[in-house]
Amino acid sequence: MKIALAGLGAAAVAVLAASVSVSPAIAQGQNTTSVEKVGICPVDWHEGGTRPGQAGVRGRCYPDSSVAPKVYLRASTSEPCAAGYNPSERYCTTKQSTQTSAEIRASGGPKLTKPAPNARCPLGWASTRDLATCYTTIENPSVARLKNGKACAAGELDEWGIWCTSNYKHIPKNRAEAHGNKDFNEVYGWTMRNRGDTKAVGDTFSPAAEAWFASNSGAAASSAAPATTSTQAQTESKPANCESGAVAGAVVGGVVGGKSGARTGAVLGGGLGKKKGC
């Protein structure tokens, strides 16, 4: 009996040792096979089967090429990445970030929970890359609440049929526009990837916000805004495709025309056109 127990103990130790040795291998990531798609795929990876003739299956992320960054899926966004890896939503990747995005800078700031991935954000807010929340870098942002089918109060903007927005009259139009462009890019990209109605995405501002700016002749644009660093101002003034060519590339499934399409870029000689200032 003692010999049998001893043998069982040795087997248990062997199993434990094997499990310990596997974990570091998983954490090293890879760029040769697909990974489960959670949220959006990492930069330089794409979801399979989203375009005619494209290999792979929906719900899986595939490397764009043999030199794509190595990635692995982590249990949650609070789980730290292994040495040599950088966080990218639910993934850890060897991709190096070349700049600090407005979204990252605002990560500790206020958030608005979106009712759906394709829901547009209110004036002065933009969708995060996972399309779960709206964020803002404006120091005294507009205040928005879900409309929930009820009429908005006097002085509130009824935006997208989703939000009732107040505390917006002091916000400079150029800063609101930067957030609106970023929001448009994220929602447009998601809608195209999921074969939705891209015409329903709208434009930079909601019709209500557009009408307010027009009727006030850009009064908010001339309002004094808190000072920002030159790096912050440059980053916020660019649409999302300035921050990540891969994000814009995922958006474009063909040549997108029109005023709204100009923000997502157009295929020019195999490259991706960018809005002036990128």
Side-chain angles (χ1 to χ4, degrees):
M1 181 64 71
K2 290 182 179 180
I3 294 175
L5 290 175
L8 180 60
V13 171
V15 171
L16 178 60
S19 64
V20 171
S21 65
V22 169
S23 295
I26 293 175
Q28 289 175 6
Q30 53 81 33
N31 63 356
T32 57
T33 60
S34 67
V35 296
E36 180 185 358
K37 180 179 180 289
V38 179
I40 60 175
C41 293
V43 174
D44 296 332
W45 287 62
H46 64 276
E47 182 179 5
T50 55
R51 294 191 297 273
Q54 184 187 61
V57 298
R58 299 291 293 272
R60 304 287 299 181
C61 296
Y62 295 81
D64 288 348
S65 68
S66 60
V67 295
K70 293 182 178 180
V71 305
Y72 69 90
L73 183 65
R74 50 184 174 159
S76 69
T77 54
S78 62
E79 178 183 310
C81 291
Y85 285 80
N86 304 297
S88 176
E89 304 299 336
R90 277 289 301 280
Y91 300 91
C92 289
T93 173
T94 54
K95 178 76 174 181
Q96 294 292 326
S97 177
T98 57
Q99 62 181 341
T100 302
S101 69
E103 180 177 337
I104 293 174
R105 290 198 311 276
S107 59
K111 295 287 190 300
L112 296 172
T113 300
K114 296 178 55 171
N118 62 340
R120 291 295 303 275
C121 291
L123 176 67
W125 297 76
S127 294
T128 50
R129 289 194 69 208
D130 63 7
L131 294 157
T133 59
C134 301
Y135 74 92
T136 183
T137 62
I138 296 175
E139 293 76 7
N140 181 18
S142 60
V143 176
R145 59 183 176 85
L146 288 175
K147 184 179 177 183
N148 290 326
K150 299 179 181 179
C152 293
E156 290 183 318
L157 296 178
D158 183 339
E159 296 201 83
W160 311 111
I162 300 172
W163 310 95
C164 291
T165 307
S166 58
N167 194 44
Y168 55 86
K169 297 182 179 180
H170 64 284
I171 297 176
K173 185 177 182 180
N174 62 333
R175 296 197 69 189
E177 185 175 34
H179 286 73
N181 283 342
K182 172 66 161 57
D183 187 54
F184 172 92
N185 283 353
E186 296 294 355
V187 175
Y188 192 98
W190 184 93
T191 303
M192 178 173 281
R193 289 192 297 271
N194 289 275
R195 302 177 183 180
D197 181 9
T198 55
K199 292 182 180 179
V201 174
D203 213 312
T204 299
F205 297 126
S206 67
E210 187 76 55
W212 185 83
F213 278 120
S215 65
N216 286 274
S217 302
S222 62
S223 300
T228 59
T229 64
S230 59
T231 301
Q232 177 178 346
Q234 291 171 6
T235 302
E236 290 183 9
S237 66
K238 297 177 182 179
N241 31 350
C242 297
E243 292 188 6
S244 170
V247 173
V251 171
V252 180
V255 178
V256 182
K259 178 181 177 182
S260 297
R263 286 195 297 278
T264 58
V267 178
L268 301 174
L272 187 66
K274 293 184 178 180
K275 189 177 180 181
K276 184 177 180 181
C278 297

